[in-house]
mmCIF file with all atom_site columns, all heavy atoms in Angstrom:
data_model
loop_
_atom_site.group_PDB
_atom_site.id
_atom_site.type_symbol
_atom_site.label_atom_id
_atom_site.label_alt_id
_atom_site.label_comp_id
_atom_site.label_asym_id
_atom_site.label_entity_id
_atom_site.label_seq_id
_atom_site.pdbx_PDB_ins_code
_atom_site.Cartn_x
_atom_site.Cartn_y
_atom_site.Cartn_z
_atom_site.occupancy
_atom_site.B_iso_or_equiv
_atom_site.pdbx_formal_charge
_atom_site.auth_seq_id
_atom_site.auth_comp_id
_atom_site.auth_asym_id
_atom_site.auth_atom_id
_atom_site.pdbx_PDB_model_num
ATOM 1  N N   . GLY A 1 125 ? 8.328  74.256 -72.898 1.00 84.00 ? 125 GLY A N   1
ATOM 2  C CA  . GLY A 1 125 ? 9.565  73.393 -73.126 1.00 84.00 ? 125 GLY A CA  1
ATOM 3  C C   . GLY A 1 125 ? 9.584  72.249 -72.109 1.00 84.00 ? 125 GLY A C   1
ATOM 4  O O   . GLY A 1 125 ? 10.675 71.686 -71.857 1.00 84.00 ? 125 GLY A O   1
ATOM 5  N N   . ILE A 1 126 ? 8.442  71.848 -71.615 1.00 88.00 ? 126 ILE A N   1
ATOM 6  C CA  . ILE A 1 126 ? 8.366  70.751 -70.643 1.00 88.00 ? 126 ILE A CA  1
ATOM 7  C C   . ILE A 1 126 ? 7.764  69.556 -71.390 1.00 88.00 ? 126 ILE A C   1
ATOM 8  O O   . ILE A 1 126 ? 6.800  69.620 -71.974 1.00 88.00 ? 126 ILE A O   1
ATOM 9  C CB  . ILE A 1 126 ? 7.468  71.037 -69.373 1.00 88.00 ? 126 ILE A CB  1
ATOM 10 C CG1 . ILE A 1 126 ? 8.007  72.291 -68.650 1.00 88.00 ? 126 ILE A CG1 1
ATOM 11 C CG2 . ILE A 1 126 ? 7.496  69.890 -68.520 1.00 88.00 ? 126 ILE A CG2 1
ATOM 12 C CD1 . ILE A 1 126 ? 7.132  72.812 -67.663 1.00 88.00 ? 126 ILE A CD1 1
ATOM 13 N N   . LYS A 1 274 ? 11.122 65.888 -68.970 1.00 81.00 ? 274 LYS A N   1
ATOM 14 C CA  . LYS A 1 274 ? 12.363 66.604 -69.426 1.00 81.00 ? 274 LYS A CA  1
ATOM 15 C C   . LYS A 1 274 ? 12.056 68.038 -69.657 1.00 81.00 ? 274 LYS A C   1
ATOM 16 O O   . LYS A 1 274 ? 10.987 68.385 -70.162 1.00 81.00 ? 274 LYS A O   1
ATOM 17 C CB  . LYS A 1 274 ? 12.780 65.985 -70.766 1.00 81.00 ? 274 LYS A CB  1
ATOM 18 C CG  . LYS A 1 274 ? 13.543 64.663 -70.635 1.00 81.00 ? 274 LYS A CG  1
ATOM 19 C CD  . LYS A 1 274 ? 14.176 64.246 -71.928 1.00 81.00 ? 274 LYS A CD  1
ATOM 20 C CE  . LYS A 1 274 ? 14.310 62.752 -72.041 1.00 81.00 ? 274 LYS A CE  1
ATOM 21 N NZ  . LYS A 1 274 ? 13.210 62.154 -72.666 1.00 81.00 ? 274 LYS A NZ  1
ATOM 22 N N   . ARG A 1 275 ? 12.963 68.887 -69.195 1.00 72.00 ? 275 ARG A N   1
ATOM 23 C CA  . ARG A 1 275 ? 12.733 70.300 -69.353 1.00 72.00 ? 275 ARG A CA  1
ATOM 24 C C   . ARG A 1 275 ? 13.829 70.794 -70.279 1.00 72.00 ? 275 ARG A C   1
ATOM 25 O O   . ARG A 1 275 ? 15.031 70.455 -70.121 1.00 72.00 ? 275 ARG A O   1
ATOM 26 C CB  . ARG A 1 275 ? 12.866 71.044 -68.091 1.00 72.00 ? 275 ARG A CB  1
ATOM 27 C CG  . ARG A 1 275 ? 11.793 70.776 -67.102 1.00 72.00 ? 275 ARG A CG  1
ATOM 28 C CD  . ARG A 1 275 ? 11.884 71.828 -66.068 1.00 72.00 ? 275 ARG A CD  1
ATOM 29 N NE  . ARG A 1 275 ? 11.360 71.251 -64.855 1.00 72.00 ? 275 ARG A NE  1
ATOM 30 C CZ  . ARG A 1 275 ? 10.945 72.040 -63.826 1.00 72.00 ? 275 ARG A CZ  1
ATOM 31 N NH1 . ARG A 1 275 ? 10.994 73.329 -63.938 1.00 72.00 ? 275 ARG A NH1 1
ATOM 32 N NH2 . ARG A 1 275 ? 10.444 71.569 -62.742 1.00 72.00 ? 275 ARG A NH2 1
ATOM 33 N N   . LYS A 1 276 ? 13.456 71.718 -71.136 1.00 63.00 ? 276 LYS A N   1
ATOM 34 C CA  . LYS A 1 276 ? 14.530 72.424 -71.958 1.00 63.00 ? 276 LYS A CA  1
ATOM 35 C C   . LYS A 1 276 ? 15.093 73.414 -70.987 1.00 63.00 ? 276 LYS A C   1
ATOM 36 O O   . LYS A 1 276 ? 14.413 74.122 -70.284 1.00 63.00 ? 276 LYS A O   1
ATOM 37 C CB  . LYS A 1 276 ? 13.918 73.168 -73.163 1.00 63.00 ? 276 LYS A CB  1
ATOM 38 C CG  . LYS A 1 276 ? 13.392 72.115 -74.125 1.00 63.00 ? 276 LYS A CG  1
ATOM 39 C CD  . LYS A 1 276 ? 13.215 72.746 -75.519 1.00 63.00 ? 276 LYS A CD  1
ATOM 40 C CE  . LYS A 1 276 ? 12.594 71.740 -76.476 1.00 63.00 ? 276 LYS A CE  1
ATOM 41 N NZ  . LYS A 1 276 ? 11.233 72.086 -76.786 1.00 63.00 ? 276 LYS A NZ  1
ATOM 42 N N   . PRO A 1 277 ? 16.471 73.444 -70.877 1.00 55.00 ? 277 PRO A N   1
ATOM 43 C CA  . PRO A 1 277 ? 17.098 74.189 -69.861 1.00 55.00 ? 277 PRO A CA  1
ATOM 44 C C   . PRO A 1 277 ? 16.650 75.665 -69.769 1.00 55.00 ? 277 PRO A C   1
ATOM 45 O O   . PRO A 1 277 ? 16.507 76.185 -68.699 1.00 55.00 ? 277 PRO A O   1
ATOM 46 C CB  . PRO A 1 277 ? 18.602 74.165 -70.277 1.00 55.00 ? 277 PRO A CB  1
ATOM 47 C CG  . PRO A 1 277 ? 18.697 72.974 -71.187 1.00 55.00 ? 277 PRO A CG  1
ATOM 48 C CD  . PRO A 1 277 ? 17.412 72.737 -71.774 1.00 55.00 ? 277 PRO A CD  1
ATOM 49 N N   . ALA A 1 278 ? 16.385 76.262 -70.949 1.00 46.00 ? 278 ALA A N   1
ATOM 50 C CA  . ALA A 1 278 ? 16.001 77.731 -70.937 1.00 46.00 ? 278 ALA A CA  1
ATOM 51 C C   . ALA A 1 278 ? 14.764 77.954 -70.087 1.00 46.00 ? 278 ALA A C   1
ATOM 52 O O   . ALA A 1 278 ? 14.647 78.964 -69.372 1.00 46.00 ? 278 ALA A O   1
ATOM 53 C CB  . ALA A 1 278 ? 15.816 78.207 -72.311 1.00 46.00 ? 278 ALA A CB  1
ATOM 54 N N   . ALA A 1 279 ? 13.802 77.062 -70.117 1.00 40.00 ? 279 ALA A N   1
ATOM 55 C CA  . ALA A 1 279 ? 12.546 77.252 -69.471 1.00 40.00 ? 279 ALA A CA  1
ATOM 56 C C   . ALA A 1 279 ? 12.620 76.886 -67.995 1.00 40.00 ? 279 ALA A C   1
ATOM 57 O O   . ALA A 1 279 ? 11.662 76.813 -67.283 1.00 40.00 ? 279 ALA A O   1
ATOM 58 C CB  . ALA A 1 279 ? 11.458 76.434 -70.129 1.00 40.00 ? 279 ALA A CB  1
ATOM 59 N N   . ASP A 1 280 ? 13.827 76.536 -67.524 1.00 46.00 ? 280 ASP A N   1
ATOM 60 C CA  . ASP A 1 280 ? 13.917 75.944 -66.268 1.00 46.00 ? 280 ASP A CA  1
ATOM 61 C C   . ASP A 1 280 ? 14.085 76.978 -65.090 1.00 46.00 ? 280 ASP A C   1
ATOM 62 O O   . ASP A 1 280 ? 14.923 77.825 -65.221 1.00 46.00 ? 280 ASP A O   1
ATOM 63 C CB  . ASP A 1 280 ? 15.270 75.025 -66.265 1.00 46.00 ? 280 ASP A CB  1
ATOM 64 C CG  . ASP A 1 280 ? 15.031 73.878 -65.452 1.00 46.00 ? 280 ASP A CG  1
ATOM 65 O OD1 . ASP A 1 280 ? 14.041 73.803 -64.624 1.00 46.00 ? 280 ASP A OD1 1
ATOM 66 O OD2 . ASP A 1 280 ? 15.811 72.927 -65.556 1.00 46.00 ? 280 ASP A OD2 1
#
Side-chain angles (χ1 to χ4, degrees):
I126 300 168
K274 279 192 209 95
R275 291 193 209 202
K276 294 202 184 105
D280 214 345

